[in-house]
């Protein structure tokens, strides 16, 4: 939620000068760091603590490679049409969609406690 708002308003940060831009970038990276602190716990809760390192490594590799590949291709083909502001809006839209998907996620326990 917060990252989507920051991404959607990122181009407006330049209107506030260098200090506002710095604050926006710091907040964006703060949100990115949250992923690395939240997901190990979520994966352990979903799949059990026995193979957490393998499951988390698989998650990182399957999340990292396609995401960056898709972002690189979208940027390459859409930058001339949408410009940077349009790409920030597109990325913010993806974040909003993922936020609503996460609201309806029902965690399943695949292990015996």
């Amino acid at each position: 939620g917060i990252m989507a708002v920051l991404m959607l308003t990122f181009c407006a940060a330049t209107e506030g000068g260098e200090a506002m831009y710095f604050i926006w970038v710091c907040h964006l990276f703060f949100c990115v760091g949250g992923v690395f602190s939240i997901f190990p716990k979520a994966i352990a809760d979903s799949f059990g603590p026995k193979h957490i390192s393998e499951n988390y490594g698989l998650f990182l590799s399957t999340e990292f490679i396609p995401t960056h590949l898709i972002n690189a291709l979208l940027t390459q083909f859409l930058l001339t049409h949408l410009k940077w502001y349009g790409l920030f809006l597109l990325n913010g839209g993806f974040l909003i969609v993922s936020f609503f998907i996460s609201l309806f996620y029902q965690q399943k326990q695949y292990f015996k406690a």
Side-chain angles (χ1 to χ4, degrees), residues 74-93:
L74 281 175
T75 302
Q76 184 70 27
F77 295 117
L78 295 178
L79 182 60
T80 57
H81 302 292
L82 299 177
K83 307 292 184 217
W84 284 110
Y85 188 66
L87 287 175
F88 284 121
L89 290 176
L90 182 67
N91 197 4

Side-chain angles (χ1 to χ4, degrees), residues 11 19 21 23 33 40 45 47 52 68 72 78-79 85 91 101-102:
C11 289
Y21 182 79
I23 291 169
D45 288 346
F47 302 109
I52 183 66
H68 291 289
L78 295 178
L79 182 60
Y85 188 66
N91 197 4
I101 289 172
S102 70

